[in-house]
Amino acid sequence: MKAIKLILLGVSLFSFLPLGAQVFDTPRSLAEADSLDRVQYRVLYQLDFISDPTDREFVTQDQVRLDIGTRISKVYSQRLYEADSAAGPFLEAGKLPRKIVMDVVPPMILYRGYPKAQDITTDYRLPSAPVMSYVEPKPTLQWQVKPEKREILGYSCQRAEVTFGGRQWIAWFTPEIPLSEGPYKFGGLPGLILEVADSEGDYRYTCIGITNLSAGENIVRWKWNQRPTTRKELEKIIVQLYANPEQAIKALGGRTSFKGDPMLNLPYNPIEK
């Protein structure tokens, strides 16, 4: 699969990973947005994950932000945000930027607690196509807190385990930061999650920084061409995208082309099975 990865990186302006393999998106404007809340804390995680289960030596990395507000928290890729920000001047001038970023990054933005307190809204970026958006209830995570402890970033952490999304997860949370939050959809523990990983070694979030933004920044939702959908319908689209990316992108109204065989049959290793 390494040869295919190199081919894909060579034919796209922007590349990102929809929780499984490399597909591509063009940059999106951050000029217009709705303000939802104010950021109180910003937590930065390093995400290490296996995009291709048949090639476990290839580990993809990203940095993921968790912005915690008074009512809403937002989880999103810092690299993708920085790429969109860098593209802003080009987009405003009506130009298409090139080679601003060539990394693979997660395409999802999660708004936890929006529009209602028990909801999660997901904006899922697809290649050169509308942003698919759906709302689902927050998961009820049945954590089992264990006695083991360890230190992360100078904080005393305790182990907890849970089954979620078809995987077994081990988390380390710190009661020293009494925020019931964590990366992705994880939360509900009596302290901030500083590390969480699945038992198969496919996904690992590790906290690398915590900032108290007492001055406050806005938690915003960008005004993109969002198309309402459901999680089930989006999963069908993603499966089609991996089976035949060029055909699926064109069916969504996007425009793209691949060098060589368009039937690339990309690997699919979603965080929720």
Side-chain angles (χ1 to χ4, degrees):
M1 291 305 300
K2 289 184 179 178
I4 289 180
K5 288 166 185 167
L6 292 174
I7 290 171
L8 293 180
L9 287 174
V11 298
S12 176
L13 300 176
F14 277 65
S15 63
F16 66 98
L17 181 78
L19 296 181
Q22 294 164 349
V23 288
F24 312 108
D25 190 24
T26 53
R28 307 209 180 231
S29 173
L30 306 182
E32 297 185 7
D34 291 321
S35 178
L36 306 180
D37 202 350
R38 298 282 285 178
V39 183
Q40 303 296 312
Y41 298 90
R42 173 164 293 153
V43 186
L44 186 62
Y45 296 91
Q46 177 169 306
L47 170 61
D48 299 283
F49 57 108
I50 304 297
S51 60
D52 182 355
T54 67
D55 183 9
R56 303 193 66 84
E57 293 183 1
F58 188 89
V59 179
T60 304
Q61 293 185 332
D62 187 27
Q63 290 187 350
V64 177
R65 280 185 181 181
L66 166 62
D67 285 351
I68 303 172
T70 57
R71 298 173 293 104
I72 295 168
S73 60
K74 176 180 177 179
V75 183
Y76 58 108
S77 166
Q78 176 167 279
R79 290 183 178 175
L80 191 55
Y81 169 75
E82 290 174 347
D84 287 337
S85 298
F90 295 92
L91 296 174
E92 291 176 8
K95 299 178 180 179
L96 187 61
R98 290 179 177 272
K99 296 182 180 179
I100 289 179
V101 65
M102 293 300 289
D103 283 323
V104 290
V105 294
M108 296 189 303
I109 304 174
L110 275 64
Y111 301 89
R112 301 201 305 241
Y114 177 80
K116 297 179 180 179
Q118 297 305 314
D119 290 339
I120 296 179
T121 294
T122 298
D123 284 345
Y124 197 105
R125 296 173 63 151
L126 291 172
S128 302
V131 174
M132 309 303 287
S133 180
Y134 65 92
V135 180
E136 62 182 343
K138 288 182 181 179
T140 301
L141 301 177
Q142 303 293 335
W143 291 102
Q144 295 183 0
V145 177
K146 303 295 183 177
E148 294 93 334
K149 294 185 178 182
R150 57 179 283 210
E151 188 174 286
I152 301 175
L153 293 180
Y155 295 98
S156 176
C157 297
Q158 190 165 352
R159 177 174 171 142
E161 299 177 1
V162 72
T163 299
F164 170 67
R167 296 179 184 271
Q168 300 293 322
W169 296 89
I170 298 171
W172 294 91
F173 70 95
T174 176
E176 296 177 17
I177 305 177
L179 299 171
S180 186
E181 296 278 357
Y184 191 55
K185 300 177 183 178
F186 297 106
L189 284 166
L192 181 67
I193 295 174
L194 298 189
E195 183 176 293
V196 61
D198 74 294
S199 59
E200 298 175 27
D202 285 351
Y203 288 85
R204 178 181 298 274
Y205 292 88
T206 305
C207 180
I208 57 175
I210 305 170
T211 306
N212 185 338
L213 298 179
S214 56
E217 296 179 16
N218 288 332
I219 293 180
V220 301
R221 188 183 186 197
W222 291 293
K223 292 184 178 181
W224 292 331
N225 180 20
Q226 278 117 342
R227 180 183 296 177
T229 187
T230 63
R231 179 183 176 86
K232 185 176 181 179
E233 289 302 314
L234 180 59
E235 286 176 348
K236 291 180 182 178
I237 293 172
I238 295 172
V239 170
Q240 294 170 356
L241 185 64
Y242 282 97
N244 188 331
E246 186 166 15
Q247 181 178 337
I249 292 168
K250 289 180 179 178
L252 289 166
R255 294 181 296 173
T256 188
S257 62
F258 294 92
K259 295 179 180 178
D261 186 1
M263 296 292 291
L264 295 178
N265 194 22
L266 301 173
Y268 184 44
N269 188 25
I271 191 169
E272 294 184 55
K273 295 182 178 180

